[in-house]
Amino acid sequence: MLGLRDLGSEMLESILDRAESLLPVVRDGAASPVPERRAMIGLLFLENSTRTRCSFEVAASRLGHQPVVLTGRGSSLDKGESLVDTAANLAAMGLDVLVIRSAIAGGAALVARNIGIPVVNAGDGRHEHPTQALLDASTLRARLGSLAGKRVLIVGDILNSRVARSNIHALTAMGATVVLVGPPPLLPWTFAEFGPGVEVTHDLDGVLESADAVMMLRIQLERDAGRAVASDYRFAFGLTVDRLTRLGPGVPILHPGPMNRGVEIDDAVSADIARSSILEQVTRGVAIRMAIIDRALESGAG
Ligand code: NCD
């Protein structure tokens, strides 16, 4: 699972269905089927992470497998060892699957070409974050039913967002229109070239009322995006209480986290019980990662 670009709607829906069937394990602690063999799931996390890393750990444990975590700090990457060499060493220890997050776009794919076990991309630089977009699609499908013909606004630092890129692939494949919204330096017109089903605008207020769902994104300061935004960012692109009143009552609000409260989203908005799907995304994330680990183990065995 390196990206969602070429997955197609049938495969996407089948992963979401599988995750849906695993949801009771996450929500209510229902027992999941005991695996024939306890697999070792390596988690190589070379960028900061709260949700994604814990979510993969919880998912592996819930399936009855053993997560093995290596983070960048304290590893031999600090001594100049390459990503591929690090991954090859973990694979040589007999791991069954390797989940990788790194700042290198294409890093997970590079590793996958060089080691003999299935690789899952948990975020590769600005490129893709497939399991995040799958959990977003799962949340949207649960709230909206079919995504066909729905308009999903993705608002914020699109340029630096792997979450936006993976969502563009997934949501358009499932029939939604993705409306990208952000300040020009963080949303060049070239994004319109993603193809039919993708719209680009720099005017949030102009499209707000057409939304069936709204996904807010963080400004990625670690990718230098802070220099590209003006101090009135919240005024132009924040999901404020005032903007919330202009959304329909059933319009779900998503955010992959971490939130910068008071910048892209106001406190009262993230706390709007009826519309905020932000913690629902996190719960569904575990089920998605369970489905993805299962799938990876099957492909590794095949
Ligand atoms: C995102 C990421 O790391 O790409 N977070 C996540 O995985 N939940 C988005 C972000 O960091 O803003």
Side-chain angles (χ1 to χ4, degrees):
M1 175 51 69
L2 301 172
L4 300 182
R5 196 189 171 119
D6 301 313
L7 227 51
S9 63
E10 233 166 85
M11 179 61 82
L12 290 166
E13 300 272 4
S14 89
I15 295 170
L16 300 195
D17 290 344
R18 191 164 180 163
E20 199 72 40
S21 74
L22 291 163
L23 209 48
V25 178
V26 187
R27 270 206 220 290
D28 318 319
S32 69
V34 179
E36 272 169 39
R37 187 177 68 84
R38 195 158 192 237
M40 303 282 242
I41 312 298
L43 307 179
L44 179 55
F45 271 67
L46 308 177
E47 273 193 329
N48 292 347
S49 174
T50 297
R51 275 150 294 270
T52 308
R53 191 186 120 184
C54 267
S55 182
F56 271 108
E57 279 194 71
V58 172
S61 303
R62 285 281 192 210
L63 289 167
H65 302 307
Q66 174 72 54
V68 179
V69 182
L70 179 65
T71 56
R73 226 160 292 143
S75 77
S76 286
L77 283 135
D78 279 348
K79 301 181 189 168
E81 189 166 28
S82 76
L83 178 62
V84 171
D85 283 342
T86 304
N89 277 269
L90 295 177
M93 292 177 202
L95 295 183
D96 296 280
V97 173
L98 190 56
V99 180
I100 300 179
R101 165 171 289 193
S102 87
I104 304 168
L110 176 68
V111 169
R113 283 195 296 276
N114 284 282
I115 65 172
I117 59 172
V119 172
V120 178
N121 180 7
D124 60 332
R126 296 177 176 82
H127 179 229
E128 278 226 39
H129 192 349
T131 59
Q132 176 68 43
L134 287 165
L135 75 88
D136 294 333
S138 167
T139 306
L140 289 168
R141 200 179 71 159
R143 285 291 297 263
L144 303 175
S146 161
L147 293 188
K150 300 285 170 19
R151 283 171 71 78
V152 181
L153 269 51
I154 305 184
V155 186
D157 178 5
I158 309 294
L159 180 67
N160 292 299
S161 177
R162 52 197 177 201
V163 177
R165 283 177 181 77
S166 287
N167 266 293
I168 289 170
H169 298 313
L171 301 181
T172 57
M174 292 170 73
T177 296
V178 173
V179 185
L180 302 172
V181 190
L186 299 179
L187 176 55
W189 291 112
T190 48
F191 271 84
E193 290 162 16
F194 264 98
V198 179
E199 293 176 17
V200 169
T201 176
H202 304 124
D203 175 16
L204 175 58
D205 291 312
V207 290
L208 196 60
E209 276 144 41
S210 73
D212 293 300
V214 180
M215 181 185 301
M216 303 306 295
L217 298 177
R218 180 177 69 89
I219 298 171
Q220 307 235 334
L221 298 173
E222 74 277 29
R223 306 197 206 283
D224 221 14
R227 289 175 2 151
V229 294
S231 54
D232 65 349
Y233 181 85
R234 173 178 170 273
F235 182 73
F237 296 103
L239 194 51
T240 58
V241 174
D242 174 53
R243 290 199 172 99
L244 185 69
T245 60
R246 293 168 45 208
L247 288 173
V251 173
I253 295 160
L254 285 77
H255 194 308
M259 286 187 279
N260 285 146
R261 292 169 181 271
V263 183
E264 76 270 11
I265 191 162
D266 281 8
D267 271 352
V269 175
S270 65
D272 185 294
I273 308 272
R275 282 175 283 195
S276 170
S277 293
I278 295 169
L279 291 177
E280 176 67 11
Q281 288 173 271
V282 177
T283 301
R284 286 178 172 273
V286 177
I288 288 290
R289 279 144 191 155
M290 289 172 76
I292 294 300
I293 289 170
D294 258 349
R295 196 171 166 268
L297 286 168
E298 283 163 20
S299 76

